[in-house]
Amino acid sequence: MISQPLVSIIIPCYNAEEYIEACINSVILQDYENWECIIINDGSKDNTLDLINKFTEKDDRIRVI
């Protein structure tokens, strides 16, 4: 079996509370399985970070910086 290369998906966000869940869900629902998602939160002042942290608790392929 040929292993799939790791694909890194980088999502920058700032005050993306309205869209971040849909964005992350679109990554999770991909058919390709060997990926990591690195989310760069640039000091959001809304609930963006709280929403991202819920995903990091469920999926260890998702990291937040």
Side-chain angles (χ1 to χ4, degrees), residues 4 6-8 14-15 22 30-31 42 48 58 60 65:
Q4 297 175 322
L6 177 65
V7 172
S8 297
Y14 177 77
N15 291 345
Q30 296 299 310
D31 291 334
D42 195 16
T48 300
K58 297 176 186 174
D60 62 354
I65 297 174

Side-chain angles (χ1 to χ4, degrees), residues 47-65:
N47 291 320
T48 300
L49 184 57
D50 293 333
L51 297 171
I52 295 168
N53 284 333
K54 289 179 185 176
F55 283 97
T56 62
E57 292 170 3
K58 297 176 186 174
D59 195 325
D60 62 354
R61 299 174 294 180
I62 301 172
R63 294 185 291 143
V64 63
I65 297 174

Side-chain angles (χ1 to χ4, degrees), residues 5-40:
L6 177 65
V7 172
S8 297
I9 302 153
I10 300 171
I11 302 173
C13 63
Y14 177 77
N15 291 345
E17 170 181 33
E18 190 174 338
Y19 307 104
I20 196 66
E21 287 181 291
C23 180
I24 297 170
N25 279 324
S26 72
V27 173
I28 292 171
L29 294 174
Q30 296 299 310
D31 291 334
Y32 195 84
E33 295 180 4
N34 193 20
W35 56 264
E36 67 178 350
C37 182
I38 302 167
I39 304 171
I40 313 294

